[in-house]
Amino acid sequence: MQQAFYDAGSVQCGYCIPGMVLSAKALLDKNPAPSSDEIRKALSGNLCRCTGYTKIEEAVKLAAERLGGGAR
């Protein structure tokens, strides 16, 4: 999970990353192939000051692919 966030370029200031990583992990544990809407909903409780969420969503999709689920 952490490597996917790094590889997707979603790690900037570090303020939101711990919560994003934990929320993404919980999502992929329940749903290994989430849609974009499901990813956004799962991460909605975390505030990001830097990235605008696009790269974070890409990181979750990348993690899903690498873990064998793939995103819809």
Side-chain angles (χ1 to χ4, degrees):
M1 182 67 65
Q2 292 172 330
Q3 189 64 47
F5 270 72
Y6 179 79
D7 292 345
S10 64
V11 178
Q12 289 188 20
C13 79
Y15 179 80
C16 69
I17 294 304
M20 293 288 188
V21 167
L22 290 173
S23 295
K25 172 77 169 95
L27 169 65
L28 295 183
D29 284 348
K30 291 181 183 179
N31 180 359
S35 67
S36 291
D37 287 340
E38 290 168 327
I39 293 170
R40 286 191 291 272
K41 182 176 180 183
L43 301 178
S44 66
N46 297 283
L47 299 177
C48 176
R49 308 183 304 188
C50 301
T51 68
Y53 303 96
T54 302
K55 291 199 178 278
I56 293 171
E57 183 179 333
E58 291 171 9
V60 178
K61 290 178 182 179
L62 180 59
E65 287 176 25
R66 290 181 177 176
L67 294 172
R72 289 186 258 146

